Amino acid sequence: MTKDDQPSSEQDSNETREEMLTPWQRENIRYLEQHGDRPQWQDVEEELEADQELEEELLEEEESPEIVEEIETDESREEQDKKVLKDLPKSRSFADKLPKMKVQRQQRLKKRLTLLVSLFGIAALGMIYYVSPLSKVNRLEIVGNQKVEASLIAKATKLSDKDGIWSAYFDKSVLAKVKASHPRIKDVEVHLSKINNLKIVVTEFSEIAYAKEGKVFHPVLENGVILTNETVEQADDQFLVLINFTPGVSLENLMANINKVDEVVKNNIKEISSTPSKNNEYLVTMTMKDGNQIIASTKDYQDKINYYPQVASEMSEKGVVDMEAGIFSTSFDEIKKQKAEEKAKNDYEAWLKQLEDENKEKNNE
């Protein structure tokens, strides 16, 4: 090959290399040539060629007999180096990383798009639900009521099919309205039923007595409230009959503690009369079905009345068991004698006073 032919061959090789380059590589070469610099990727290629030549030289040296022994002694070290090299991360070019970067970017875009679509979707569903009939009260279900009519409870809630189901569910005033609508209602709870139904669970006060007023009877609740607007002509035998009671502390104490009385004693009570004295406004008289009477205070009668069966068994005659201060009994005959003696004494004192008054009048004349 002549010297004249050498530049042409180099030019041909350069043209061949430029044809193998990608468009952006060719543009990069032109840009760097105009600015008096070489592209970095060409330097990388030259370094790779130099490394390849160095490896070939090393291979030729390894084939020489002079270094065979040295290679054999270093086999264990080379194996360790290979293990270390395997563990080292392999260098990757930008072209190899580019597809992965595109995939990662697409994944991030998909996540953002999914998040935005989810947010807008939830907001749209919320708006649709808000304007749909599903968000309104469809039906009221009244349960637990025994004496109070369901229509009265439903009317007390003041709810309609135009009210939102959630606002009605969390509205505490609905419970207060129902509770205040009737004295029989003890407690009220609201529960969701199905999609847009409300269940009103009502608990009523129990009836435990009847208050007698003339020839009619009024129900008395466990909290001591007398339902004067409800009347019956005949009281049920399983309930106590109260006489001369008015709403107040004495009645409330009596009703609050009546369940502490043994069933045997409670079933033996025929009626309870309010008989307050000057010294004790809580005094009551209980007429028993066995013919005896009990005098007690509504403040503490529940602590003593359960001893009544034992006291009654020791009584030889029918009479009164006084539980106001302690526990002692007196027969009706003895009480009559005491009353007769007291009456005679009072009559005698009245006669003496009359004589004194007459004598004073005579002396004054």
Side-chain angles (χ1 to χ4, degrees):
M1 181 182 295
T2 62
K3 292 182 180 180
D4 295 333
D5 295 334
Q6 186 174 0
S8 62
S9 62
E10 291 179 357
Q11 185 176 2
D12 293 337
S13 62
N14 290 334
E15 290 177 356
T16 303
R17 178 178 295 180
E18 287 182 1
E19 290 177 357
M20 294 176 64
L21 296 176
T22 61
W24 69 270
Q25 288 177 333
R26 289 197 293 270
E27 291 294 329
N28 189 25
I29 292 173
R30 293 191 188 96
Y31 175 82
L32 295 175
E33 287 177 351
Q34 291 176 1
H35 291 77
D37 196 359
R38 297 183 63 192
Q40 293 182 358
W41 60 270
Q42 286 186 354
D43 295 337
V44 173
E45 288 184 354
E46 291 179 358
E47 290 178 0
L48 292 174
E49 291 177 357
D51 292 340
Q52 188 174 1
E53 292 177 358
L54 181 61
E55 288 179 0
E56 291 177 356
E57 292 177 359
L58 291 174
L59 289 174
E60 291 177 357
E61 292 178 358
E62 288 177 357
E63 292 176 356
S64 62
E66 296 177 356
I67 59 174
V68 170
E69 294 180 358
E70 184 178 352
I71 293 174
E72 290 178 353
T73 56
D74 294 340
E75 283 182 355
S76 59
R77 184 179 298 174
E78 288 180 359
E79 290 178 358
Q80 294 178 356
D81 293 340
K82 288 180 181 180
K83 291 181 180 179
V84 174
L85 290 173
K86 287 181 180 179
D87 296 334
L88 292 175
K90 296 181 179 179
S91 60
R92 302 177 65 184
S93 64
F94 178 77
D96 294 334
K97 294 180 180 180
L98 186 60
K100 187 175 181 180
M101 292 176 63
K102 290 182 178 179
V103 172
Q104 292 177 350
R105 181 177 295 178
Q106 290 177 355
Q107 290 177 349
R108 287 197 296 268
L109 290 175
K110 287 181 180 179
K111 289 181 179 179
R112 292 176 182 175
L113 182 61
T114 303
L115 179 60
L116 291 175
V117 172
S118 300
L119 292 176
F120 284 110
I122 292 172
L125 290 175
M127 292 297 296
I128 294 172
Y129 172 77
Y130 181 76
V131 299
S132 70
L134 294 177
S135 65
K136 310 299 180 183
V137 177
N138 179 43
R139 187 170 67 90
L140 287 177
E141 182 182 358
I142 313 298
V143 297
N145 57 310
Q146 297 177 354
K147 297 289 185 178
V148 184
E149 295 182 0
S151 58
L152 179 64
I153 297 173
K155 185 178 180 181
T157 62
K158 297 183 179 180
L159 295 176
S160 65
D161 55 0
K162 296 181 181 179
D163 294 312
I165 185 70
W166 294 108
S167 60
Y169 176 72
F170 290 106
D171 190 359
K172 300 299 182 182
S173 64
V174 174
L175 304 179
K177 291 174 184 176
V178 175
K179 198 171 182 179
S181 64
H182 201 284
R184 284 184 177 272
I185 298 177
K186 182 178 182 180
D187 193 18
V188 183
E189 294 180 359
V190 178
H191 301 282
L192 287 175
S193 176
K194 296 182 180 179
I195 299 177
N196 56 346
N197 295 338
L198 285 180
K199 180 185 288 186
I200 309 295
V201 182
V202 177
T203 304
E204 296 182 359
F205 286 108
S206 301
E207 289 183 9
I208 57 177
Y210 280 95
K212 187 177 181 180
E213 184 182 9
K215 295 182 179 181
V216 297
F217 300 87
H218 303 292
V220 181
L221 305 179
E222 60 180 299
N223 60 342
V225 174
I226 301 175
L227 302 178
T228 56
N229 59 337
E230 298 184 23
T231 59
V232 294
E233 295 182 357
Q234 184 64 37
D236 196 328
D237 293 337
Q238 65 178 345
F239 294 109
L240 299 173
V241 175
L242 308 181
I243 301 174
N244 297 330
F245 275 93
T246 57
V249 178
S250 181
L251 180 58
E252 292 175 1
N253 290 339
L254 179 65
M255 296 295 99
N257 297 312
I258 194 66
N259 289 328
K260 297 179 181 179
V261 179
D262 293 341
E263 289 296 325
V264 176
V265 179
K266 189 191 301 184
N267 293 333
N268 195 20
I269 300 175
K270 183 179 180 180
E271 60 185 26
I272 303 175
S273 301
S274 177
T275 55
S277 64
K278 294 180 180 180
N279 299 325
N280 191 348
E281 60 179 333
Y282 303 105
L283 209 61
V284 295
T285 300
M286 302 180 184
T287 302
M288 312 302 287
K289 294 178 181 179
D290 59 8
N292 293 323
Q293 289 184 345
I294 298 175
I295 298 175
S297 173
T298 57
K299 284 186 173 182
D300 59 358
Y301 76 97
Q302 70 277 2
D303 299 329
K304 302 176 182 179
I305 196 171
N306 289 329
Y307 294 104
Y308 172 75
Q310 181 180 353
V311 176
S313 64
E314 297 174 356
M315 295 173 62
S316 58
E317 298 179 9
K318 301 298 180 183
V320 177
V321 179
D322 194 332
M323 296 184 178
E324 180 181 2
I327 300 178
F328 61 91
S329 62
T330 307
S331 65
F332 288 127
D333 292 338
E334 185 67 25
I335 292 173
K336 287 180 181 179
K337 289 180 181 179
Q338 292 176 0
K339 287 183 177 180
E341 291 176 356
E342 186 176 356
K343 185 176 181 302
K345 182 180 179 180
N346 292 335
D347 292 342
Y348 177 72
E349 290 178 353
W351 178 72
L352 289 177
K353 186 177 181 181
Q354 184 178 359
L355 288 177
E356 289 178 359
D357 292 339
E358 290 177 355
N359 291 331
K360 286 181 181 180
E361 289 178 358
K362 289 179 180 180
N363 293 331
N364 291 332
E365 291 178 356

